[in-house]
Amino acid sequence: MIGCKRVAAIQDISGLGRCSLTVIIPVLSAMGVQVCPVPTAVLSAHTGYSEFVIRDLTDYMQPALEHYKKMGTEFDCIYSGFLASAEQIDHCLEFFSAYPSSLKVVDPVMGDDGKSYATYTGELCKRMSELVAVADIITPNLTEAAILLGEKYPAAPLRNSEARSWLVRLAEQGAKIVVITSVDLADGGMHTIGYDKETSSFWKIKNDYVPNAHFSGTGDMFASVLIGSMLKGDSLPLAMNRASAFTELNVKVTNSYRRHWTEGLMLEGQLPWLTSYQQLGDYTTL
């Protein structure tokens, strides 16, 4: 496809449970973006299952990069997510360094609901700040934002002033754009909030709360739509709005079938929504 954007997605691939590459590839492909997977690990099922088989692919990452460089392959975006070891931070940094003009997106996958994931060591969480420092865009959830800032997970909803402070402090670590998902604000409801450092603009989008609907892969879906939208030229609030709307649609559909959270979002039937590329405007300043 002429003019097709290309993304190198440095993520894991899980056989069971829609998340990471099994979400990223179909979502970005539906948006007309080519995904070149750089697997960090292969899992029989994602880490939310009680048992899983995992194969660390750290030794694959550097040779893959060297091959891409030898072939003269160009990427419009380098997008990192779930990492299997602290050593993989070094390989992500090598990818970012090899493609300095590419959009650098870091989804600092480390935890949720106030806790870090079982496979994420203290060293890996600490070193995540090295990726954040060189990123153009970061997309932490509230748990990951707290880890990056060295803060306790908020016990109460954040005031707007507190939310803006968190965004600015995260941007001071390096990124030009910071988007935090799953933020409970004091003025009512769950929100996605964003900050563009270059324009000093703050944005928020209120999300419909669906009780007891927590599914794997929602962060991967959100970040993928955000990336696809921005690569197509959307402004930050429009990209946030599109990503929130598509993720919310999938949560509602999946919840209606009462699927177990580990199975992830039933995105297969919703992908046509992305091709309509409808204009949105459900956002406000923070």
Side-chain angles (χ1 to χ4, degrees):
M1 182 186 299
I2 297 175
C4 181
K5 301 291 187 178
R6 179 185 290 152
V7 173
I10 308 173
Q11 312 267 350
D12 72 288
I13 184 164
S14 298
L16 285 177
R18 302 172 184 88
C19 65
S20 298
L21 286 172
T22 57
V23 169
I24 293 163
I25 293 173
V27 166
L28 280 171
S29 296
M31 298 182 76
V33 177
Q34 179 188 2
V35 180
C36 296
V38 182
T40 58
V42 176
L43 297 88
S44 59
H46 66 64
T47 58
Y49 283 82
S50 58
E51 294 182 1
F52 54 89
V53 177
I54 183 170
R55 294 291 181 268
D56 186 306
L57 294 180
T58 301
D59 61 358
Y60 163 81
M61 298 172 68
Q62 198 273 337
L65 172 59
E66 292 304 315
H67 179 247
Y68 292 141
K69 289 163 60 178
K70 180 179 179 181
M71 294 287 289
T73 305
E74 295 295 333
F75 295 104
D76 297 284
C77 173
I78 310 295
Y79 167 28
S80 72
F82 178 91
L83 302 178
S85 66
E87 184 182 347
Q88 292 186 352
I89 296 284
D90 296 319
H91 297 310
C92 289
L93 290 170
E94 290 170 355
F95 264 89
F96 289 147
S97 178
Y99 296 96
S101 62
S102 299
L103 181 69
K104 295 177 282 294
V105 181
V106 173
D107 185 6
V109 180
M110 293 183 286
D112 204 357
D113 294 326
K115 300 177 182 178
S116 59
Y117 295 130
T119 58
Y120 266 62
T121 63
E123 180 187 6
L124 183 50
C125 289
K126 183 178 180 180
R127 292 204 62 198
M128 189 62 72
S129 62
E130 296 176 40
L131 292 184
V132 169
V134 298
D136 295 310
I137 302 173
I138 61 172
T139 60
N141 59 32
L142 189 61
T143 298
E144 293 152 352
I147 293 173
L148 288 170
L149 292 174
E151 295 277 2
K152 291 183 178 179
Y153 186 76
L158 293 178
R159 297 188 300 274
N160 283 0
S161 60
E162 292 175 313
R164 288 193 294 268
S165 174
W166 279 44
L167 289 166
V168 169
R169 288 167 60 199
L170 285 170
E172 288 173 348
Q173 295 184 8
K176 299 174 184 176
I177 291 175
V178 178
V179 178
I180 309 177
T181 59
S182 304
V183 180
D184 193 9
L185 292 179
D187 61 2
M190 192 66 65
H191 290 73
T192 298
I193 61 175
Y195 171 59
D196 185 333
K197 182 161 58 177
E198 292 186 343
T199 60
S200 298
S201 55
F202 298 87
W203 304 97
K204 66 177 179 179
I205 297 169
K206 188 172 183 179
N207 309 125
D208 284 351
Y209 176 68
V210 182
N212 303 314
H214 179 84
F215 299 100
S216 65
T218 53
D220 303 312
M221 179 175 289
F222 177 90
S224 297
V225 179
L226 185 83
I227 290 168
S229 295
M230 298 201 74
L231 287 177
K232 286 180 174 291
D234 275 352
S235 64
L236 174 60
L238 277 179
M240 288 170 56
N241 196 172
R242 201 175 305 283
S244 294
F246 185 66
T247 304
E248 188 175 285
L249 168 65
N250 279 272
V251 168
K252 290 178 178 178
V253 168
T254 306
N255 188 59
S256 76
Y257 287 94
R258 312 308 296 173
R259 310 304 297 180
H260 194 271
W261 75 269
T262 54
E263 293 184 35
L265 297 168
M266 299 171 65
L267 76 163
E268 295 83 1
Q270 321 323 314
L271 291 172
W273 187 94
L274 292 169
T275 64
S276 67
Y277 214 66
Q278 57 188 284
Q279 193 68 23
L280 303 167
D282 187 21
Y283 52 83
T284 59
T285 55
L286 174 64

